Amino acid sequence: MTASIIDGKARAAALRNSVAADVAGFVTRHGRAPGLTVVLVGDDPASAVYVRNKGRETLAAGMVSGEHRLPASVSQAELLALVVALNADDTVDGILVQLPLPVHIDADRVLATIDPAKDVDGFHPVNAGRLATGLDALVPCTPTGCLMLIEEALGNLGGKEALIIGRSNIVGKPMAALLLAKSATVTIAHSRTVDLAGHVARAQIVVAAVGIPHLVRGDWIRPGACVIDVGMNRIATADGKTRLTGDVDFDGALPRAGWITPVPGGVGPMTIACLLSNTLKAARARVA
Ligand code: NAP
């Protein structure tokens, strides 16, 4: 068997187009476009690239893009004051504070200060709790995108054996809640898990969200499994340059998996598309 390679770029483009069409309808009905404001603290180059891409895609979807760039030296009080001001700004439907934040800032406190109704990253404890208890919520973008790709590959997930590797609040835990809500049988592995290979061998769905290049070996994969690689690891190449690679040994998994996402071009593009979708959802809820 050779796996079908899941085209995250194409799927994300389709989602962005459908969000853009819905945004046009929102503008007609409400006389204004949904607004997403991103807060970037410091000058981390990777974060700057993410924020630029988010701004570009927000505008391309017909929404209003706001951006606040603060120096790495900003105080926690100043950052919290900005979040409070954005909470009160009626033109802002979605607020995203780009992570990571400088170490002198309590990221949990900042995230918990965002109005849950504008929390388009889905990291606020209220949204995490709503997701965990099966209530409607703003759900983190990366696992939302992963679920779309998995459902398109496998259809009904009821009873499927799913393994999530990684238990972060950003990916692993919300991914588990989403798959559980689809009635998959969910296992979460982490750094203390014994016999990761054995868990992978049983899984019909593998979501790898660790940050270790090629941790998951191709010969561990259960034949026919749907393999979703969230990992984004920059590794050195022989020519002295670097390239992005995932947590799964893609070449080794290709002959065994049924479906697999490439890195780049798999999960990554879905994340921003789901952010746009969350912003529209937040805007609709605010005018309802
Ligand atoms: P994280 O917060 O660092 O969490 C990593 C998880 O991996 C932890 O739960 C950790 O376990 C677990 N882990 C570490 N070593 C392990 C091992 N040997 N075996 C099994 N589990 C192990 O990372 P994250 O924020 O979830 O991100 C994970 C990866 O996804 C990173 O490469 C990140 O860049 C990427 N990412 C991509 C996107 C995208 O849009 N494509 C979005 C978000 C993240 P413990 O809890 O026990 O420490």
Side-chain angles (χ1 to χ4, degrees):
M1 173 184 290
T2 299
S4 300
I5 298 174
I6 295 174
D7 188 345
K9 269 193 200 164
R11 181 63 187 90
L15 179 56
R16 287 198 309 269
N17 285 340
S18 117
V19 171
D22 290 347
V23 166
F26 183 97
V27 173
T28 305
R29 271 191 298 283
H30 303 292
R32 70 168 186 95
L36 170 64
T37 293
V38 178
V39 178
L40 175 62
V41 180
D43 43 22
D44 175 55
S47 293
V49 171
Y50 292 142
V51 167
R52 200 166 52 235
N53 291 343
K54 285 167 186 169
R56 197 185 53 223
E57 299 299 347
T58 303
L59 292 174
M63 300 199 239
V64 177
S65 169
E67 202 177 297
H68 291 264
R69 287 174 180 257
L70 304 175
S73 59
V74 71
S75 70
Q76 174 151 311
E78 286 171 290
L79 178 55
L80 291 176
L82 172 59
V83 171
V84 169
L86 293 173
N87 284 344
D89 183 341
D90 254 349
T91 67
V92 174
D93 297 290
I95 303 169
L96 184 155
V97 177
Q98 183 67 42
L99 301 177
L101 290 170
V103 285
H104 68 276
I105 290 177
D106 178 351
D108 288 340
R109 175 131 184 239
V110 173
L111 295 180
T113 302
I114 296 172
D115 179 348
K118 297 188 177 188
D119 169 39
V120 284
D121 251 343
F123 297 159
H124 192 288
V126 165
N127 280 312
R130 292 181 68 88
L131 173 64
T133 50
L135 296 173
D136 185 49
L138 286 166
V139 178
C141 303
T142 299
T144 299
C146 292
L147 182 70
M148 287 178 186
L149 299 179
I150 295 166
E151 284 194 300
E152 277 174 18
L154 297 181
N156 185 352
L157 306 184
K160 292 267 191 298
E161 290 282 346
L163 174 70
I164 299 152
I165 315 175
R167 56 175 162 180
S168 70
N169 292 335
I170 293 172
V171 188
K173 284 179 196 153
M175 186 79 251
L178 288 171
L179 287 168
L180 195 57
K182 296 290 176 182
S183 297
T185 301
V186 179
T187 302
I188 308 178
H190 44 76
S191 65
R192 305 285 294 275
T193 294
V194 176
D195 188 21
L196 182 62
H199 287 287
V200 174
R202 280 189 295 280
Q204 295 164 291
I205 300 164
V206 178
V207 180
V210 180
I212 300 179
H214 302 180
L215 171 75
V216 179
R217 286 183 22 193
D219 59 0
W220 293 358
I221 302 290
R222 174 169 166 172
C226 178
V227 179
I228 305 293
D229 192 349
V230 182
M232 291 215 299
N233 310 295
R234 194 156 279 288
I235 58 167
T237 53
D239 57 5
K241 296 183 177 161
T242 63
R243 71 176 173 92
L244 265 190
T245 194
D247 291 342
V248 178
D249 168 19
F250 182 85
D251 292 338
L254 205 53
R256 290 177 72 86
W259 296 265
I260 189 166
T261 56
V263 178
V267 172
M270 292 298 288
T271 298
I272 293 187
C274 290
L275 174 66
L276 302 177
S277 174
N278 270 358
T279 303
L280 176 61
K281 176 176 175 160
R284 281 174 166 162
R286 292 185 63 246
V287 296

